[in-house]
Amino acid sequence: MPEKAPTSVELRLPSRLGFEKVAMGTAANVAKLMGFSEARTEDLKTALSEAIINAIEHGNKLQESLAVVVIMTLDASSLEIKVVDKGKGVTRTVSRPDIEAKIKGDEPTRGLGLFLIEQLVDEVEYVSESLEGSFTRLVIHLEGNEGRD
């Protein structure tokens, strides 16, 4: 039996905070259809939310006329999501934040997004200034996800 071609779902969101929830709901439904566990689906929703908020705030600078494009590509073993914006991309390496200092209030509580993304999905890639804009690529694999509940 021939293998099915990957299926894609594409969303165009305005650069307005709150619209990340539209993509989170869609991704959760896609993950459920694919058979991901509830825990992995929640990981995906959190990582995707962080990536979209970064695209809205840092990539598109809250300019509502600029879209954030979310492309979900699923196949038999994984779900890949690209979050595309018009910015220059991630320009720093991701380091482990001092979480205790953030909890104590010694450091701002913001700035955990990239760290969270990298902890919650199986693969992350930041591509700067491609032809379509900059994007963050997230991948979660179906295999082995049942043990994360």
Side-chain angles (χ1 to χ4, degrees):
M1 178 180 231
E3 194 173 306
K4 282 186 185 178
T7 301
S8 291
V9 175
E10 185 172 317
L11 302 171
R12 296 184 67 77
L13 307 170
S15 291
R16 185 183 327 151
L17 294 174
F19 276 87
E20 71 278 0
K21 293 175 182 141
V22 173
M24 290 168 62
T26 302
N29 287 325
V30 168
K32 184 176 181 180
L33 288 170
M34 291 180 70
F36 281 96
S37 70
E38 187 68 32
R40 288 301 279 159
T41 300
E42 290 302 315
D43 289 348
L44 174 65
K45 286 170 49 181
T46 300
L48 179 58
S49 173
E50 291 295 334
I52 293 171
I53 289 169
N54 282 344
I56 290 169
E57 290 182 344
H58 303 294
N60 289 349
K61 309 268 190 244
L62 296 167
Q63 295 178 49
E64 288 188 30
S65 63
L66 298 177
V68 172
V69 179
V70 180
I71 305 164
M72 302 177 200
T73 305
L74 54 141
D75 61 29
S77 62
S78 63
L79 174 58
E80 173 190 89
I81 302 178
K82 284 185 181 178
V83 177
V84 184
D85 62 52
K86 296 297 182 189
K88 294 184 182 201
V90 176
T91 58
R92 66 175 182 87
T93 58
V94 179
S95 59
R96 183 170 182 82
D98 186 343
I99 295 173
E100 282 194 33
K102 289 183 179 294
I103 291 170
K104 288 181 190 175
D106 296 338
E107 287 187 12
T109 55
R110 301 243 7 213
L112 292 172
L114 298 180
F115 174 75
L116 282 173
I117 291 168
E118 293 192 2
Q119 299 305 304
L120 294 172
V121 297
D122 297 318
E123 297 175 36
V124 180
E125 179 182 19
Y126 305 105
V127 177
S128 298
E129 299 185 272
S130 70
L131 292 177
E132 54 192 6
S134 298
F135 64 86
T136 300
R137 181 180 155 272
L138 315 172
V139 179
I140 58 169
H141 301 290
L142 190 56
E143 182 180 299
N145 92 88
E146 58 282 333
R148 297 182 105 149
D149 264 334

